[in-house]
Amino acid sequence: MEKRNNLKAWLYLAPLLILMGIFIFYPLINAFYISILEEYRPLAPGGATATGYTLSNFARILNDELFWQAIKNTFVVAFISVPISILISLVIAVSLNSIPKLKALYQTVFFLPYVTNAIAIGMAFAFMFHKDYGLINLMLSWLGIDPVNWVGNVATWWAQMGALLVYTIWGGLAFKILVFTSGLQNIDKQYYDAAKIDSASKWTVFRRITVPLLSPFILYISITSMIGALKAYRTVIGLFGERLGAQQNSMITIVAYVYKYRSAYQDVSAISYAASAAIILFFITVVFSLIQGVVSRKRVHY
Amino acid sequence: MAEIFVENEKAYKRRRLISNIVTFGFLSLVAIGILIPFYWMILTSLKSIQEIESVPPILWLNFSDWKITNYTDLFLTVQSGERAGEPLFPFFTYMKNTVLISFLTTLGTIITTILAAFAFARLNFKGKDTLFAVLLATMMVPGEIFILTNFLTINQFGWYDILTQTYTEAVLAMTIPFMISVFYVFYLRQTFRKIPDELYFAAKVDGTSDFKYLLKIMIPIAMPTIVTIIILNSMGAWSAYIWPAMVTTQDKYRLVSNGLRGAFTDTTGRTDYGQQMAAATLVTVPLIILFFTFRKQIMRGVGRSGIKG
């Protein structure tokens, strides 16, 4: 029917593909290349120089204590914040779906964190977690709990992590709630009617009907939010500033580790270290996506 | 039989009332939790230093006690240091930059997106499906991988020179690399594909060119989707943090997020929380206004991204 129109199609695609070529495909390949260059100086006067090829950049990253600190922080953020925020937003979405009135109002409120500036609100959270003047410790004192030093200079690692997790979960709810509520609207009402006739309990309905029918959405959300959590960065900047923690680098994440080298691009190999760390991050996200894909094949009900 | 039914009906109604109360209670609790940081931010920005540092914290300020000094102080000139002569928080400069970057990036993105989405939705060419799959795959790659080389590329283009960078060069560096969005191409292609083929063939019979068909028929039909893309994309510049800081040489070229952190801590490490929260409020308010103006489009657009095509 329609004839092929190769030349014309490529003309329409040209603006996108040229920009993607320069700013996505080339950098992607180049990142792998510079990660194996020895003594690479990209900004040396008279042009970039390197002395050969090596895997020592990766070795140096893997021997860097700070990198493992970054891995640990990032994994703790991801493994704790993702399941908790998915569970909370599922319960919220189901609750939203069961109320006849005010649904739009609640939805609007729940969506607010999505449209705010992560740094600005991070600063607000930092002050909420202030040991003496903060709201959190005041609320804890109502429950008879002694003030905790969350983000101050001598805060413990878990206290800082606690503040970071609260902020991460708060910021991650909006998108998940929105996706789950739109998912719930696609579920055929007759399943719930059938459950009502059998007078099934709410918990049974949630476990046996809602969760299985929402499983494609839950899978999608767990993959995207896992990838998002593995790239945590602006939440840390918002809460702790460029120090990346109550103590220097105590809450450093993998992305923050990559960016740590940005001010040192003039230095020998600095960009190669950054590239190696970014590539390790890339493989971590790929592995997680694959694992979740395999798990889903057994569990997801389409 | 009828009596039993009535009993059940009563019990059912009571159970539903209780469950409604529990549901509303739970949702309201979460809503308060979502709103508290905003409240705390605005409240703190209106307090005096004494009020901020009172223990236990003050939870409510009457309107007559609101102080706007934290806001006015942001515009006072810095007396000494490397930023001498500039306002403490150059909000209007940052805003101007942010709006400009946002506008140019969105304009570029919408052009590349419409053209590419048209090719994928309407035209027939060799390797179409493969190319589309490759483009979608790039969405998986963390942007941190690109950013390293992109910084070097910007250098090679001559847009980043510590001594001589001009405003135009800074703007180019902050916009050109971001005039691409595979996700929006995907999103718009879905909309374009819903437009009936008959319209296209009818236009062809009339001798309408492809480009004119795109301009006069497809874009107007897909306008709601395009508007959603424009709004979502414009919000991006507000959260841009790392790239603007990397590719600009001067404070006055930067965007709102960059100026926020660090500016309110003096050399002794003491932070002025009132000013900090005032600046955070100033940055947050335009976004909230944008959100309430285009609430439907924003929530629909973001929600759509969660539904598998």
Side-chain angles (χ1 to χ4, degrees):
Chain A
M1 50 180 243
E2 289 168 68
K3 66 174 167 52
R4 286 203 162 170
N5 220 330
N6 286 329
L7 181 69
K8 187 186 276 172
W10 289 108
L11 269 176
Y12 279 95
L13 287 167
L16 181 81
L17 292 184
I18 290 171
L19 282 179
M20 284 189 80
I22 300 172
F23 295 110
I24 295 204
F25 292 117
Y26 161 63
L28 182 57
I29 298 162
N30 198 39
F32 284 89
Y33 180 65
I34 55 185
S35 73
I36 54 163
L37 283 179
E38 193 174 28
E39 294 190 22
Y40 180 47
R41 290 170 206 260
L43 300 174
T49 60
T51 54
Y53 301 100
T54 176
L55 285 175
S56 66
N57 300 317
F58 284 97
R60 184 185 139 130
I61 296 297
L62 295 174
N63 282 317
D64 186 355
E65 242 174 69
L66 195 60
F67 181 70
W68 291 104
Q69 178 74 30
I71 294 265
K72 177 184 161 198
N73 291 341
T74 311
F75 277 29
V76 171
V77 169
F79 281 109
I80 297 182
S81 76
V82 171
I84 292 181
S85 57
I86 288 180
L87 201 67
I88 297 177
S89 34
L90 255 181
V91 176
I92 292 173
V94 171
S95 309
L96 272 176
N97 213 37
S98 72
I99 57 169
K101 285 174 197 161
L102 297 174
K103 191 175 163 182
L105 175 72
Y106 280 111
Q107 270 182 318
T108 306
V109 171
F110 296 154
F111 196 69
L112 275 176
Y114 190 88
V115 287
T116 48
N117 180 301
I119 313 272
I121 300 296
M123 281 160 42
F125 266 89
F127 189 59
M128 273 175 45
F129 278 104
H130 193 282
K131 183 173 175 287
D132 303 314
Y133 318 137
L135 187 65
I136 302 284
N137 276 347
L138 176 68
M139 281 156 65
L140 289 178
S141 75
W142 296 339
L143 304 171
I145 299 170
D146 285 337
V148 177
N149 193 337
W150 297 99
V151 292
N153 286 337
V154 292
T156 63
W157 184 84
W158 270 112
Q160 300 170 45
M161 185 50 86
L164 183 58
L165 284 171
V166 169
Y167 179 37
T168 308
I169 292 169
W170 181 91
L173 289 179
F175 180 64
K176 298 183 184 75
I177 295 172
L178 188 70
V179 170
F180 288 146
T181 29
S182 48
L184 280 172
Q185 275 154 8
N186 292 348
I187 295 183
D188 198 332
K189 275 268 184 277
Q190 65 178 13
Y191 292 110
Y192 290 105
D193 293 338
K196 213 182 257 172
I197 291 171
D198 291 344
S199 58
S201 77
K202 277 205 159 172
W203 170 241
T204 312
V205 172
F206 179 72
R207 214 161 43 102
R208 294 295 169 100
I209 299 179
T210 310
V211 172
L213 289 179
L214 269 186
S215 54
F217 293 90
I218 297 175
L219 171 73
Y220 169 80
I221 283 289
S222 28
I223 292 181
T224 50
S225 42
M226 196 49 138
I227 293 176
L230 289 170
K231 289 163 60 175
Y233 176 65
R234 276 185 308 178
T235 42
V236 181
I237 293 282
L239 266 185
F240 300 103
E242 294 280 354
R243 264 178 94 196
L244 302 171
Q247 297 89 37
Q248 185 77 41
N249 292 329
S250 57
M251 284 292 117
I252 192 172
T253 59
I254 305 178
V255 169
Y257 184 87
V258 173
Y259 289 148
K260 195 173 72 83
Y261 291 101
R262 73 176 188 274
S263 50
Y265 274 5
Q266 315 284 345
D267 300 354
V268 181
S269 291
I271 196 168
S272 299
Y273 301 143
S276 314
I279 285 165
I280 294 173
L281 172 66
F282 176 43
F283 280 117
I284 292 172
T285 59
V286 169
V287 167
F288 273 104
S289 310
L290 288 179
I291 293 174
Q292 276 165 318
V294 170
V295 171
S296 77
R297 207 162 296 163
K298 291 188 181 135
R299 292 285 181 91
V300 172
H301 167 106
Y302 285 100
Chain B
M1 188 67 196
E3 274 168 36
I4 296 169
F5 185 75
V6 170
E7 268 310 296
N8 278 346
E9 181 75 15
K10 264 187 187 165
Y12 174 71
K13 272 194 174 162
R14 194 179 327 130
R15 241 188 29 213
R16 225 181 60 173
L17 180 71
I18 293 172
S19 96
N20 265 349
I21 292 173
V22 171
T23 310
F24 274 107
F26 167 70
L27 288 176
S28 306
L29 217 69
V30 178
I32 292 171
I34 294 290
L35 292 174
I36 278 180
F38 296 103
Y39 175 73
W40 195 244
M41 176 175 77
I42 296 167
L43 180 74
T44 307
S45 76
L46 297 167
K47 285 178 177 176
S48 67
I49 291 196
Q50 290 75 24
E51 283 160 343
I52 286 171
E53 297 188 346
S54 95
V55 180
I58 298 166
L59 297 178
W60 177 257
L61 269 190
N62 286 324
F63 180 72
S64 54
D65 295 332
W66 291 8
K67 324 234 170 0
I68 56 157
T69 44
N70 288 321
Y71 289 90
T72 49
D73 284 354
L74 293 181
F75 300 99
L76 291 181
T77 313
V78 178
Q79 295 303 324
S80 59
E82 55 178 305
R83 289 181 61 246
E86 290 170 37
L88 179 63
F89 182 64
F91 177 67
F92 291 112
T93 310
Y94 289 146
M95 271 302 275
K96 188 193 79 188
N97 295 344
T98 309
V99 169
L100 179 70
I101 299 296
S102 169
F103 172 77
L104 293 176
T105 312
T106 305
L107 186 70
T109 305
I110 208 74
I111 292 172
T112 61
T113 301
I114 288 177
L115 293 175
F118 177 73
F120 281 120
R122 186 67 270 173
L123 301 175
N124 237 338
F125 59 96
K126 214 176 155 203
K128 181 159 126 176
D129 296 333
T130 319
L131 180 67
F132 198 60
V134 170
L135 294 197
L136 285 182
T138 62
M139 284 170 65
M140 285 276 300
V141 185
E144 289 68 36
I145 283 198
F146 312 137
I147 232 174
L148 309 165
T149 304
N150 284 349
F151 177 69
L152 299 179
T153 306
I154 294 301
N155 254 291
Q156 274 180 345
F157 286 172
W159 293 343
Y160 179 89
D161 188 306
I162 309 266
L163 300 173
T164 65
Q165 188 184 41
T166 62
Y167 187 58
T168 315
E169 285 166 355
V171 169
L172 284 173
M174 283 189 276
T175 51
I176 303 286
F178 296 96
M179 294 179 173
I180 322 161
S181 168
V182 172
F183 173 67
Y184 294 145
V185 172
F186 174 73
Y187 182 27
L188 187 57
R189 185 192 77 139
Q190 303 293 93
T191 309
F192 276 172
R193 269 157 56 129
K194 286 190 200 121
I195 299 171
D197 286 343
E198 286 74 20
L199 271 178
Y200 181 65
F201 297 129
K204 280 271 125 170
V205 170
D206 289 347
T208 314
S209 72
D210 275 350
F211 188 69
K212 209 168 161 197
Y213 175 74
L214 169 64
L215 223 54
K216 298 273 158 131
I217 312 270
M218 290 185 96
I219 292 181
I221 293 180
M223 218 24 154
T225 305
I226 294 173
V227 169
T228 302
I229 293 176
I230 290 175
I231 298 164
L232 289 179
N233 198 74
S234 332
M235 298 189 340
W238 254 267
S239 11
Y241 179 78
I242 192 85
W243 182 255
M246 267 172 91
V247 300
T248 52
T249 55
Q250 294 180 53
D251 232 16
K252 61 179 184 219
Y253 295 165
R254 295 190 179 145
L255 310 187
V256 281
S257 297
N258 302 119
L260 274 176
R261 257 294 171 191
F264 310 101
T265 307
D266 64 19
T267 42
T268 60
R270 206 179 130 98
T271 304
D272 191 319
Y273 293 107
Q275 289 174 4
Q276 201 188 39
M277 291 300 105
T281 306
L282 278 185
V283 171
T284 304
V285 163
L287 272 177
I288 301 282
I289 293 176
L290 199 73
F291 171 57
F292 281 112
T293 317
F294 298 105
R295 194 176 60 89
K296 275 203 183 117
Q297 287 93 331
I298 291 173
M299 291 182 65
R300 191 185 51 209
V302 176
R304 193 68 49 86
S305 69
I307 297 168
K308 290 204 283 188

